[in-house]
Amino acid sequence: MAHRNRVEEYLNHLLEVERFPDYAPNGLQVEGREEIRRLATGVTASLRLLEAAAASGADAVLVHHGYFWKGEDPRVAGMKAARLRLLLQSDINLFAYHLPLDAHPELGNNAGFGRMLDLTVERTMDAGGVPGLLWLGRCPPRSVNDLAGQLASALGRTPTYVDGGPPAVERVAWCTGGGQRFIEQAADAGAQAFISGEISEPTAHVARERGLHYFAAGHHATERAGVKALGAHLAERFDLEHFYIEVDNPA
């Protein structure tokens, strides 16, 4: 069991939130009860996730995608009102960490994704003004089909694939979530394949013309590792009960 403020202070220090220019506030976004015993984690603070957390007796929810994004409608109405109403009526805390959780060297989304694919990290790079957001690693030479199969097995979904590189791959760059815009930086770093969550219209052309394979493995699917690892870490650190809630998302 731990006090809400103690958990937030620890998380903010651990994830070094002050280093990251972000699109939403990192930390405690909705205040609930003071003492936390049961912690639920998930990728996005959707209503379905919050309902499952409340039904399971969670005192706090920790997510990667929280609320109050720059440019969104600030009015508390409709979908936003329903989500906030459930949190406030249930007295549940909502913690959200976006870019700091992508980039953390041990507990982050990119770190967990690299371990999932048995990639040896070569280096991390700043991308889009964000420190440590793009990762480059090595693996024993493997065919593109083998890499695609490993991705599908690890994430439980078949990635969208653009064939643009050599038959065998041993240098792989990755950025989970919406990192497809960093494909040219990945090519400049010498990657033979680049993996992210989404694909945009220019991505296929860039992959083919810059000579690397591209895999869009799902925004949600590529960002499950961070909250799971961070939740498990908090459970050990503060003697909490931790459980992960999966809300299916094909995107």
Side-chain angles (χ1 to χ4, degrees):
M1 182 176 70
H3 193 279
R4 172 192 63 228
N5 296 347
R6 185 179 170 212
V7 172
E8 184 188 21
E9 289 171 5
Y10 178 78
L11 284 169
N12 290 348
H13 176 74
L14 175 69
L15 300 176
E16 299 181 287
V17 297
E18 72 283 349
R19 295 179 59 220
F20 295 87
D22 215 332
Y23 316 106
N26 290 295
L28 180 66
Q29 291 190 338
V30 179
E31 185 178 284
R33 59 184 64 103
E34 290 188 358
E35 297 298 331
I36 298 173
R37 295 177 176 82
R38 287 177 59 78
L39 172 68
T41 58
V43 177
T44 299
S46 65
L47 185 61
R48 185 178 296 182
L49 183 140
L50 299 180
E51 289 172 340
S56 299
D59 302 302
V61 173
L62 169 66
V63 296
H64 182 50
H65 301 138
Y67 303 151
F68 314 115
W69 299 93
K70 289 180 181 177
E72 76 173 22
D73 188 337
R75 292 174 296 179
V76 180
M79 186 174 70
K80 182 186 288 186
R83 292 173 171 183
L84 292 174
R85 185 180 300 113
L86 176 57
L87 283 167
L88 293 170
Q89 288 180 344
S90 303
D91 205 18
I92 295 175
N93 296 282
L94 176 67
F95 297 93
Y97 291 91
H98 186 231
L99 295 178
L101 186 55
D102 286 318
H104 193 273
E106 296 177 9
L107 302 172
N109 288 319
N110 284 312
F113 191 78
R115 288 192 294 269
M116 196 181 303
L117 296 182
D118 299 320
L119 297 169
T120 300
V121 178
E122 201 172 271
R123 61 189 171 108
T124 66
M125 295 164 277
D126 294 359
V130 180
L133 195 59
L134 179 63
W135 292 46
L136 180 70
R138 288 187 176 271
C139 60
R142 65 184 71 171
S143 71
V144 178
N145 287 339
D146 285 346
L147 180 58
Q150 188 176 16
L151 265 172
S153 176
L155 300 178
R157 56 176 292 155
T158 302
T160 298
Y161 168 57
V162 178
D163 184 355
V169 171
E170 54 184 315
R171 297 194 82 204
V172 179
W174 68 98
C175 179
T176 61
Q180 72 272 17
R181 63 192 182 278
F182 304 129
I183 186 171
E184 290 201 68
Q185 188 176 345
D188 291 340
Q192 298 162 313
F194 180 46
I195 306 168
S196 190
E198 301 180 8
I199 186 166
S200 301
E201 194 280 335
T203 312
H205 305 298
V206 175
R208 292 168 183 148
E209 293 174 34
R210 292 300 307 271
L212 73 166
H213 303 285
Y214 182 70
F215 295 91
H219 194 131
H220 173 92
T222 59
E223 294 193 325
R224 291 183 290 216
V227 287
K228 288 181 178 180
L230 187 56
H233 175 80
L234 290 174
E236 182 176 357
R237 173 84 182 189
F238 293 106
D239 192 25
L240 306 177
E241 296 179 49
H242 165 240
F243 56 99
Y244 171 80
I245 299 172
E246 173 67 6
V247 177
D248 180 61
N249 188 336

